[in-house]
């Protein structure tokens, strides 16, 4: 864990329906109010994925109330990108988008290559396993970057 801990983190992925909501939900559960956390997507054309809700529910992270949003909508709703210390991109497209948007601001962008589980697995159980793998990858990255969870 680095000494440079942010006060606000924005997670982003392609649609804000799988990876970035998982990261947002787990960061809020693990770290409480240690830092402000939000998530966005490059696009907002999908609802929160039901498999994401299911696998996060298994670890006590509630995502069913998550509303997907794009970078554009985030700014329309008053959350300016310049208000974040750190942007963590979970997909190549979101990394490119974040770097393009942040060239005007002094903002750190980290890229965490995380498996996109959509479309993986033939059966429901195989799909859930793919989503669990993504959830666990994100959890490992959170712990490596921000340290152990706060005590509840």
């Amino acid at each position: 864990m680095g000494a440079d801990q942010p006060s606000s983190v924005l997670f982003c992925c392609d649609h804000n329906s799988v990876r970035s909501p998982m990261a947002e939900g787990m960061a809020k559960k693990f770290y409480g109010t240690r830092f402000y956390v939000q998530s966005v997507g490059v696009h907002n054309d999908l609802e929160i994925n039901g498999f994401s809700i299911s696998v996060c529910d298994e670890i006590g992270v509630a995502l069913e109330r998550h509303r997907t949003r794009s970078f554009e909508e985030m700014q329309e709703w008053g959350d300016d990108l310049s208000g974040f210390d750190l942007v963590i991109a979970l997909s190549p497209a979101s990394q490119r988008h974040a770097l393009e948007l942040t060239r005007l601001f002094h903002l750190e962008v980290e890229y965490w290559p995380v498996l996109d589980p959509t479309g993986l697995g033939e059966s429901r159980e195989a799909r859930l396993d793919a989503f669990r793998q993504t959830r666990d990858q994100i959890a490992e990255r959170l712990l490596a970057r921000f340290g152990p969870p706060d005590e509840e």
Side-chain angles (χ1 to χ4, degrees), residues 37-113:
V37 181
Q38 286 295 308
S39 67
V40 296
V42 176
H43 310 283
N44 175 19
D45 53 354
L46 300 172
E47 292 299 314
I48 180 80
N49 187 291
F51 289 109
S52 293
I53 293 171
S54 294
V55 301
C56 283
D57 192 51
E58 293 172 353
I59 62 165
V61 174
L63 295 183
E64 59 275 347
R65 294 181 59 210
H66 178 77
R67 283 192 54 210
T68 60
R69 63 184 186 162
S70 65
F71 280 99
E72 195 173 284
E73 288 168 321
M74 177 188 80
Q75 291 175 313
E76 287 171 10
W77 297 346
D79 247 343
D80 196 70
L81 199 58
S82 63
F84 291 92
D85 299 329
L86 174 63
V87 177
I88 298 176
L90 304 171
S91 69
S94 67
Q95 179 193 27
R96 283 191 301 277
H97 199 76
L99 287 170
E100 178 64 26
L101 290 173
T102 60
R103 64 191 169 92
L104 305 174
F105 309 112
H106 178 68
L107 234 170
E108 186 181 352
V109 177
E110 290 182 14
Y111 174 53
W112 295 0

